[in-house]
Amino acid sequence: MASRSHRRPLRRRRTALASAVALAAVALLVSLMVALRPGSEPETVRAAAERSTTARASAMPTTPRAKAEPQSKRQSKPKPKPSTVSSAPARTTTPAPARPSPAASPRPAQRAVSDSAPLAGRIKPQVSYTGVATHYDAGDGDGACLYGPSPDLMVAAMNTTDYETSKACGAYILVRAANGASVTVRITNECPSPCAPGQLDLSKEAFAKLAGLSAGRIPITWSLLSPSTSDTVSIRYKSGSSRHWCGIQALGHRNPLARLEVSTGSGWSRLTRTEYNYFLSPDGTGCGGALRLTDIYGEQLTVDGIALRPDAVQPTRVQFARH
């Protein structure tokens, strides 16, 4: 049996323990009441919440938010890259103007005579050309143009460049020398290299009108003429011409000839000009039929009734106007 001295301290420990438990229960009850009160939260939770709210507020932009673009538009904007373009201007290509369809285009009116010479080649009216004159023995005046003997020897050979595949054939040229002398010649021949552009090789008879033959080579200026004449245009078919193939030549025209066309029954067909001054119909189209001649001023002459007779010079009743 325990002594009283031992029982008395035990009762005191039990009393102290009971008091501690009671105090803990009261404290727990008070804490639960505080936690369950609306709007209440621990100070540490509130502080953390306040710090989080402050951080979000400082991270948000202060300017108004721009309106969002459509997704496809944003994706179509690539990030800018460092520029590697040089300072040279970019080459641009100008698109060619659209050509109207034939159905929408008005039919052109008949070409009027014009001094602007829309069909002229290298040799144009009212233009002065500079070159040199030499001379040669022209014989009877015939040459690369195949006109045959000339009624006079005031003829010349044109350099190959200005001869222009016989387009210069039949042209009347006024030639002037530095001493003031002048002479009019008709182009009946071609002067090949070394004749340079602008050069005329005159018959000896024509050269003598400008200077002595001993001069050999003189500076000149020259220009195209549209002279007065009583002659009319003549037509000649080349030897060997038939209904299946023909070559056609015009002679005695006042102005240089730009085109020769044959009638096809449904319209006009333009023939190709040769270096020997004939227009060819390789398949016989239009051979022996109506012809249409056009000079470099755009005037047109229609010739009909010319028989298909090779090597025969057949005169007409027409001539181009003077300019």
Side-chain angles (χ1 to χ4, degrees), residues 289-307:
L291 308 176
R292 185 166 71 177
L293 312 179
T294 306
D295 70 2
I296 64 170
Y297 297 95
E299 183 180 0
Q300 294 179 333
L301 304 176
T302 301
V303 179
D304 204 352
I306 301 297

Side-chain angles (χ1 to χ4, degrees), residues 132-159 163 168-175 182-191 199-210 213 220:
V132 296
T134 52
H135 59 78
Y136 75 109
D137 186 356
D140 61 4
D142 196 8
C145 296
L146 297 186
Y147 285 135
S150 177
D152 61 54
L153 291 180
M154 295 296 106
V155 295
M158 181 66 73
N159 67 84
Y163 183 77
C169 284
Y172 288 88
I173 303 295
L174 175 62
V175 186
S182 65
V183 63
T184 297
V185 296
R186 184 168 61 101
I187 303 300
T188 62
N189 209 348
E190 177 185 8
C191 182
Q199 182 173 348
L200 293 175
D201 202 21
L202 307 178
S203 66
K204 291 180 178 180
E205 291 77 7
F207 190 94
K209 300 285 186 181
L210 304 177
L213 295 181
I220 58 168

Side-chain angles (χ1 to χ4, degrees), residues 56-207:
R56 286 199 304 270
S58 61
M60 293 178 64
T62 58
T63 55
R65 186 176 182 180
K67 185 178 180 180
E69 294 178 299
Q71 183 69 18
S72 62
K73 191 172 182 179
R74 290 204 301 270
Q75 290 178 349
S76 65
K77 291 183 176 182
K79 293 182 179 180
K81 298 180 181 180
S83 175
T84 58
V85 180
S86 66
S87 59
R91 296 179 60 185
T92 59
T93 303
T94 304
R99 298 178 64 181
S101 62
S105 301
R107 297 183 63 184
Q110 185 175 357
R111 188 187 300 275
V113 175
S114 171
D115 288 337
S116 61
L119 299 177
R122 290 183 56 86
I123 303 176
K124 298 176 173 59
Q126 301 177 356
V127 176
S128 181
Y129 299 88
T130 301
V132 296
T134 52
H135 59 78
Y136 75 109
D137 186 356
D140 61 4
D142 196 8
C145 296
L146 297 186
Y147 285 135
S150 177
D152 61 54
L153 291 180
M154 295 296 106
V155 295
M158 181 66 73
N159 67 84
T160 297
T161 301
D162 295 323
Y163 183 77
E164 199 174 3
T165 315
S166 77
K167 197 168 187 176
C169 284
Y172 288 88
I173 303 295
L174 175 62
V175 186
R176 297 183 179 88
N179 60 9
S182 65
V183 63
T184 297
V185 296
R186 184 168 61 101
I187 303 300
T188 62
N189 209 348
E190 177 185 8
C191 182
S193 178
C195 276
Q199 182 173 348
L200 293 175
D201 202 21
L202 307 178
S203 66
K204 291 180 178 180
E205 291 77 7
F207 190 94

Side-chain angles (χ1 to χ4, degrees), residues 252-266:
H253 41 85
R254 185 200 309 267
N255 306 317
L257 195 63
R259 294 176 182 170
L260 190 151
E261 300 165 285
V262 295
S263 176
T264 63
S266 59

